[in-house]
Amino acid sequence: MVEYSSPNTNKPLHLGHLRNNFIGYSTAEILKASGYEVRKVQIINDRGIHICKSMVAYEKYGNGETPESANLKGDHLIGKYYVRFDQEYKKEIESLTANGTSPDQAKKEAPILVEAQETLKKWEGGDPETVGLWKKMNGWVYDGFNTTYEKMGVDFDKFYYESDTYLLGKDLIEEGIASGVFYKNDDGSVWVDLESDGLDKKLLLRSDGTAVYMTQDLGTADMRHQDYPFEKSIYVVGNEQDYHFKVLFLILKKLGRKYAEGLYHLSYGMVDLPSGKMKSREGTVVDADELIDEMRDKAESKTKELGKIEGFDREQAQALYHTLGLGALKYYLLKVDPKKRMLFNPEESIEFQGNTGPFIQYTHSRISAIIRRANESDIPTDISNNSDLETQELELIRLLVQYPEKIYEAAENYAPSVIAQYVYDLAKEYNRFYTELSIFGDVDRKITSLRVVLSIQVANVLKKGLALLGVKAPERM
RNA sequence: GGCCUCGUAGUUCAAUGGAUAGAAUAGGAGUUUCCUAAACUCUAGAUGCAGGUUCGAUUCCUGCCGAGGCUACCA
């Protein structure tokens, strides 16, 4: 099981989510290719104080606006109100502190925050009006997300929602207390002491009896294992949660869950901007939809400039621009080791030349032209009698046979970057071969056959390798 | 403060203890009567600092310097 994406429903997806989604999707594909039966799931964070913040801001300032009336994708509309909340909140804190309230107190007492907390209580109490608004707003967000997922080319077998799972895990608390793994404080709160494992004490149940994030994740893990009795379960979640997952897995082991051995946190680094970290509340994010559209446009202008797609109708051309723009973006985010933090410079990051998605796609297109020509001229594919191979041919064969072990390596390490590096090396080597040796030119027919067969094999592996990254390989570009 | 990551050409990335530390990009010089020049060739350029382990260290260990993260009865 691979869990990835798992967004909050209070703002649109951004560059960080793109990295998450691409890593998750690709890892799932790589595991499939290495023989696993894979389920892709996500757990949507659709409840909590942050959601209530958007709801409050919408009620106060929304004037009944809808995605249609605002001509905005639903997720962007909600994101607007989330930002608005933060602006108002800051204003209130300022005026409170100006009137002599201490900053700490002001942060707690700002009326708009209090209102959000009340909204959360109403939601938890099942207040029909609050729940109705929540459903309506989340529905808009899901519509927006679905559009983005489709654009990104990712999919899921099952969606989990925190509004369904946030009460889970309490049974596990009882179980843990009974077996002595957890203990209860005088105030009624429940803790686990992991100090003997080099970690801290961790709260699992508040003194008022309500669950926390960890409790919920414990319960969700059990539930998912019942839904799909997995051998391995991969959580694709950012590295700021390293500690959380360390604790989660350890607790599950202590509770004697056998499946805990197969749990893995695929921890990936943040995507930084030259200006530093992205902060959605402050609006300093690279929006996923905008970025994809920008890349598409860039692919369009580049393609038109080169003028190589004569005969394409409008639909084919549009599909190609999307394939190329998205290919550039995916490859860019996947070629880096997932564990590492990476820098995204909007001005110059994503190119179509050099070690890029389009370079590999271009190589595939080049080979496709060769294959078309070979089919027309009826080149035999019998290559049994070749003996003296050129170094460029040997080098290609050497790379081709590595493909299976690269899949294995990528699967072992949950590292799509292994595949990305490999297809790049193969494409680069093929381009050398292509430039330095003639396929149809002044050569023996047997040699032509050999080189055509080699080309076909390279095209196959490039196409399959790119597919593992979620990147399409066009036949012309 | 404690814990966890990470420091490699100007820049963005490679390199599971092994040979001369690879690419791309930016810079310089070239390649198109010939299969797609989104390509190819040549050139110059890097392991934060100080120790240690080892026949051998970008990789393992220690210290320092620098960057980021975690350290909520938030999720």
Side-chain angles (χ1 to χ4, degrees), chain A residues 87 188 301:
Chain A
Q87 289 165 350
S301 61

Side-chain angles (χ1 to χ4, degrees), chain A residues 194 197 199 245-255:
Chain A
L194 301 172
D197 297 281
L199 304 172
F245 282 101
K246 215 187 260 184
V247 172
L248 176 69
F249 297 165
L250 185 56
I251 292 175
L252 286 167
K253 271 178 204 162
K254 283 182 183 288
L255 288 173

Side-chain angles (χ1 to χ4, degrees), chain A residues 293-460:
Chain A
D293 291 346
E294 253 172 61
M295 294 311 299
R296 198 213 69 97
D297 292 347
K298 200 168 161 184
E300 176 171 357
S301 61
K302 182 80 184 171
T303 303
K304 283 180 173 162
E305 181 191 319
L306 293 172
K308 294 180 184 174
I309 57 165
E310 250 175 77
F312 271 43
D313 62 29
R314 200 188 134 72
E315 205 174 306
Q316 289 172 311
Q318 292 297 325
L320 178 65
Y321 306 150
H322 186 255
T323 294
L324 295 178
L326 193 64
L329 186 54
K330 283 189 178 175
Y331 185 84
Y332 177 80
L333 290 171
L334 288 174
K335 73 177 175 185
V336 181
D337 185 327
K339 288 192 273 300
K340 293 204 173 171
R341 244 169 73 207
M342 63 183 291
L343 184 79
F344 176 78
N345 184 338
E347 302 304 316
E348 57 193 42
S349 277
I350 303 184
E351 294 296 330
F352 290 176
Q353 275 161 11
N355 188 353
T356 66
F359 167 76
I360 300 160
Q361 291 172 315
Y362 169 75
T363 307
H364 183 267
S365 288
R366 251 187 167 181
I367 302 175
S368 298
I370 295 289
I371 296 172
R372 282 194 295 273
R373 179 163 165 185
N375 287 339
E376 281 163 20
S377 29
D378 202 21
I379 302 293
T381 50
D382 173 22
I383 55 166
S384 50
N385 290 321
N386 281 281
S387 47
D388 301 324
L389 294 177
E390 301 286 345
T391 54
Q392 294 92 332
E393 294 162 342
L394 286 169
E395 195 59 24
L396 274 184
I397 293 166
R398 189 183 68 81
L399 281 168
L400 282 171
V401 299
Q402 283 178 9
Y403 184 55
E405 58 192 79
K406 289 293 174 182
I407 293 178
Y408 177 76
E409 186 185 337
E412 279 291 290
N413 297 301
Y414 308 107
S417 55
V418 169
I419 299 296
Q421 292 292 336
Y422 171 74
V423 289
Y424 172 70
D425 288 341
L426 182 61
K428 185 151 181 58
E429 193 56 44
Y430 185 83
N431 278 310
R432 187 202 310 274
F433 160 89
Y434 181 94
T435 309
E436 294 177 359
L437 300 176
S438 177
I439 296 172
F440 298 108
D442 191 18
V443 291
D444 191 275
R445 203 173 156 79
K446 270 200 307 198
I447 293 178
T448 296
S449 285
L450 171 80
R451 290 180 183 166
V452 166
V453 169
L454 261 180
S455 297
I456 291 171
Q457 292 308 317
V458 172
N460 276 340

Side-chain angles (χ1 to χ4, degrees), chain A residues 122-335:
Chain A
K122 280 196 221 163
W123 182 89
E124 284 177 354
D127 174 57
E129 205 175 310
T130 308
V131 170
L133 177 66
W134 172 76
K135 275 190 182 157
K136 181 168 79 174
M137 290 176 68
N138 272 349
W140 291 341
V141 173
Y142 296 144
D143 288 345
F145 282 174
N146 285 337
T147 305
T148 307
Y149 286 138
E150 205 169 308
K151 257 202 253 183
M152 287 194 287
V154 301
D155 55 15
F156 303 90
D157 296 299
K158 186 170 173 71
F159 292 75
Y160 290 92
Y161 297 91
E162 269 191 29
S163 52
D164 294 329
T165 64
Y166 82 108
L167 295 174
L168 290 176
K170 295 201 181 172
D171 298 348
L172 281 170
I173 300 290
E174 296 306 318
E175 182 188 330
I177 293 173
S179 62
V181 178
F182 306 155
Y183 66 92
K184 203 170 215 172
N185 253 358
D186 295 340
D187 62 5
S189 57
V190 176
W191 297 73
V192 60
D193 184 352
L194 301 172
E195 281 171 351
S196 61
D197 297 281
L199 304 172
D200 296 321
K201 293 190 174 83
K202 187 83 191 171
L203 177 88
L204 296 173
L205 202 65
R206 296 190 186 102
S207 48
D208 65 5
T210 56
V212 294
Y213 183 37
M214 185 62 73
T215 325
Q216 172 191 152
D217 266 10
L218 289 167
T220 306
D222 257 10
M223 183 174 73
R224 294 209 293 208
H225 187 254
Q226 276 162 25
D227 289 351
Y228 304 103
F230 52 75
E231 181 183 335
K232 290 186 182 185
S233 180
I234 322 295
Y235 294 78
V236 183
V237 180
N239 64 8
E240 76 273 18
Q241 296 200 36
D242 283 357
Y243 184 74
H244 173 78
F245 282 101
K246 215 187 260 184
V247 172
L248 176 69
F249 297 165
L250 185 56
I251 292 175
L252 286 167
K253 271 178 204 162
K254 283 182 183 288
L255 288 173
R257 296 296 185 275
K258 285 203 184 109
Y259 68 77
E261 294 300 322
L263 300 176
Y264 181 78
H265 175 205
L266 206 179
S267 161
Y268 64 93
M270 297 291 109
V271 185
D272 287 327
L273 301 176
S275 56
K277 207 183 165 183
M278 290 190 284
K279 293 192 177 121
S280 33
R281 271 182 303 189
E282 292 166 20
T284 57
V285 290
V286 176
D287 179 74
D289 291 309
E290 280 172 27
L291 184 56
I292 293 171
D293 291 346
E294 253 172 61
M295 294 311 299
R296 198 213 69 97
D297 292 347
K298 200 168 161 184
E300 176 171 357
S301 61
K302 182 80 184 171
T303 303
K304 283 180 173 162
E305 181 191 319
L306 293 172
K308 294 180 184 174
I309 57 165
E310 250 175 77
F312 271 43
D313 62 29
R314 200 188 134 72
E315 205 174 306
Q316 289 172 311
Q318 292 297 325
L320 178 65
Y321 306 150
H322 186 255
T323 294
L324 295 178
L326 193 64
L329 186 54
K330 283 189 178 175
Y331 185 84
Y332 177 80
L333 290 171
L334 288 174
K335 73 177 175 185

